[in-house]
Amino acid sequence: KQDFVGQFVAQLQETDTDKQEKDYHCITVSPEMIQKMLQMAEQAEEGDPRNEQIQKILPNIRSLRIFIAMHNAEDYKKQIEQLLNKKKSLYLPYQSETKEKKEPCIWLRRDKEKVIEIIALQQQEDEEDSRFKVVDLTGNLNGEFVKELLKM
């Protein structure tokens, strides 16, 4: 089964590809690369709390895919939100204990009690440009994993 970003990019490729190739990038990190990153973190300086967090997080990740819209960010954000709402039987918004944000920026897909996919949405706006990012993680992810991830 394809992850959310994979589904979204496939949907985009069915439409006007010329415009979209200039608008966005999609980066996929393979399980082998994640394993190499974990090995690098294990060899890093001891006592660094970031390395400890990385060592807690990386072994649970099966794949990582990042979608970045550099142009027409608002359009892509709307399309992503429409697809999430269309697939709301699979993806549910994550509600943190703080509930500071009005709109969900993290969505989860579960298999029974286990979280198997996390989708994080991030809008970046500055004076010159607006970008929209989607980070999609799959693997053996649980509530503790989500909390550790949010600390980073």
Side-chain angles (χ1 to χ4, degrees):
K1 183 168 169 110
Q2 199 173 31
D3 64 25
F4 179 81
V5 167
Q7 292 173 43
F8 181 68
V9 170
Q11 176 182 304
L12 288 176
Q13 290 173 343
E14 291 173 4
T15 61
D16 181 17
T17 56
D18 181 47
K19 174 186 160 211
Q20 292 160 357
E21 288 176 3
K22 297 174 196 162
D23 280 358
Y24 71 84
H25 291 300
C26 186
I27 303 161
T28 302
V29 180
S30 69
E32 293 83 17
M33 182 57 76
I34 292 171
Q35 190 61 37
K36 287 181 182 180
M37 290 164 54
L38 181 59
Q39 289 170 353
M40 288 171 54
E42 288 171 351
Q43 294 169 2
E45 287 184 37
E46 285 195 35
D48 184 343
R50 289 175 301 188
N51 283 336
E52 290 174 22
Q53 285 179 315
I54 290 169
Q55 288 181 32
K56 287 180 185 176
I57 289 173
L58 281 180
N60 298 304
I61 297 174
R62 194 180 84 224
S63 71
L64 167 63
R65 201 180 305 234
I66 304 166
F67 174 89
I68 305 169
M70 292 89 56
H71 305 288
N72 303 310
E74 195 61 39
D75 292 341
Y76 286 105
K77 181 181 179 192
K78 286 178 186 170
Q79 290 179 52
I80 289 276
E81 289 171 343
Q82 287 171 349
L83 186 57
L84 282 166
N85 286 321
K86 182 179 171 184
K87 297 186 172 280
K88 61 184 168 189
S89 64
L90 291 175
Y91 298 100
L92 298 171
Y94 174 73
Q95 301 297 323
S96 69
E97 288 84 34
T98 57
K99 296 186 182 181
E100 294 168 8
K101 297 185 179 168
K102 293 180 176 124
E103 58 184 285
C105 63
I106 296 182
W107 296 73
L108 306 177
R109 178 167 58 108
R110 296 179 182 270
D111 180 17
K112 298 178 182 137
E113 293 300 311
K114 286 197 311 193
V115 175
I116 57 173
E117 186 172 8
I118 297 173
I119 302 159
L121 312 179
Q122 180 186 24
Q123 181 99 32
Q124 287 181 302
E125 295 191 41
D126 55 39
E127 291 177 18
E128 303 145 19
D129 203 13
S130 174
R131 291 180 181 232
F132 179 65
K133 291 182 187 176
V134 180
V135 177
D136 190 344
L137 298 165
T138 62
N140 182 16
L141 318 168
N142 59 30
E144 282 303 310
F145 176 90
V146 176
K147 288 176 187 171
E148 285 295 321
L149 191 63
L150 291 173
K151 288 180 190 175
M152 297 186 86

